[in-house]
Amino acid sequence: MALLVLLALLAPPEAALEAAIACYDGLDYTCAEERLAEALAGGLSPADQIRARRHEALLALAFRDEARMRRAARAIFAIQPDWEGSDLPPRLAAIFAEERPLPPPPPRALGRLDVTSLRPTGSDADRWSEGLGVEAAGGVLLDDRWVITLTGAYSDHRPRAFVDQGLGLTQVGLELGARLAFGPVRVQAGVGLGAGSVAVEGALRDESYWGGYAALPVDVSVPLLGDLGVGGRVGLLVYVTSDADRLASSLLVPLTFGLRYGP
């Protein structure tokens, strides 16, 4: 035993761990405590950290220190969430079972159907009214937090000048966001990217063109019955298209309200 202690003092943390295990097997718990502290203070590999924490839990059981047993269990699961201990005493096995982290939730479907109001700003607001329309989206909720959504929308705008007759904006895009729950209220924020088709009906000629957009939506919803609820969203949307040899952009403010599906 003395030789093991001397080797632990001179050798790397792996040797200190082996000395701690030998001390524990020899029922010298004081020696095991000292060598284990040396091993944990060094740079153990993840596998050796698990071995060290397992023996820390065994020592805590010997000293009837339940708080330390739980800390050791949490330390192991932080390294390897699916760790399965073998040959643990019943009391320690029960504590490990209680501290075992829950598996990540499975992906869950999300959906929404909104009526929309798309408000232009600046010179666009002088030419076109706000656009009334509809927006639909379907996606998935990952880890009860991250949201990936495909969206499609259409809005119809009325002219403010006699040379125009109407404008329709069709959009398809992808949104990435994060969702947080505050009691029954779900708040989701993220970024959206996509493409849009503008169709203008004019008194003299019709025209249509494509462009891209970036959006910063914020969505707030409340469940009402099971996975069904209601919600609304607001944000900023920048639509960019080519105009001769330059880029033209429009800033729009989308407001929506409608049904929500999902947890």
Side-chain angles (χ1 to χ4, degrees):
M1 185 69 67
L3 178 59
L4 288 173
V5 172
L6 179 61
L7 288 174
L9 294 174
L10 300 176
E14 291 80 7
L17 175 58
E18 297 302 330
I21 295 173
C23 290
Y24 175 82
D25 292 340
L27 303 182
D28 188 347
Y29 296 155
T30 300
C31 168
E33 284 273 30
E34 293 172 355
R35 302 291 78 78
L36 189 61
E38 294 169 5
L40 289 171
L44 291 172
S45 67
D48 281 338
Q49 287 184 47
I50 290 175
R51 294 177 64 210
R53 294 299 182 182
R54 178 180 182 277
H55 276 80
E56 181 184 25
L58 291 169
L59 284 170
L61 177 64
F63 293 123
R64 298 182 181 179
D65 187 344
E66 182 173 322
R68 189 179 179 190
M69 286 185 259
R70 293 186 181 277
R71 287 196 301 271
R74 288 193 291 268
I76 288 176
F77 291 134
I79 300 170
Q80 184 179 334
D82 60 349
W83 184 80
E84 294 286 349
S86 60
D87 300 328
L88 291 177
R91 175 57 182 151
L92 195 56
I95 287 178
F96 270 70
E98 293 170 4
E99 294 295 335
R100 183 177 301 280
L102 295 175
R108 291 185 278 183
L110 298 175
R112 61 183 176 86
L113 180 63
D114 288 344
V115 293
T116 66
S117 169
L118 195 61
R119 299 172 181 269
T121 64
S123 59
D124 292 308
D126 297 331
R127 183 178 177 184
W128 300 106
S129 71
E130 67 179 285
L132 301 179
V134 63
E135 182 171 344
V140 62
L141 176 65
L142 303 174
D143 201 23
D144 270 347
R145 182 174 183 182
W146 307 109
V147 178
I148 302 174
T149 309
L150 293 174
T151 65
Y154 176 80
S155 61
D156 181 65
H157 300 256
R158 296 293 90 195
R160 299 190 187 278
F162 72 91
V163 295
D164 298 312
Q165 295 179 342
L167 180 150
L169 174 60
T170 304
Q171 298 168 267
V172 291
L174 175 69
E175 289 185 6
L176 304 176
R179 194 182 77 166
L180 297 175
F182 300 92
V185 179
R186 275 55 168 169
V187 179
Q188 178 183 321
V191 60
L193 297 173
S197 172
V198 178
V200 180
E201 298 177 14
L204 302 179
R205 68 183 181 91
D206 298 339
E207 63 175 319
S208 62
Y209 53 88
W210 282 86
Y213 73 85
L216 296 173
V218 176
D219 189 289
V220 179
S221 62
V222 179
L224 295 180
L225 181 62
D227 287 339
L228 292 177
V230 295
R233 62 172 32 205
V234 65
L236 296 175
L237 185 150
V238 178
Y239 183 84
V240 180
T241 188
S242 61
D243 183 9
D245 58 350
R246 65 183 181 88
L247 291 177
S249 64
S250 300
L251 177 63
L252 307 170
V253 180
L255 302 171
T256 80
F257 181 81
L259 297 175
R260 299 290 183 271
Y261 172 80

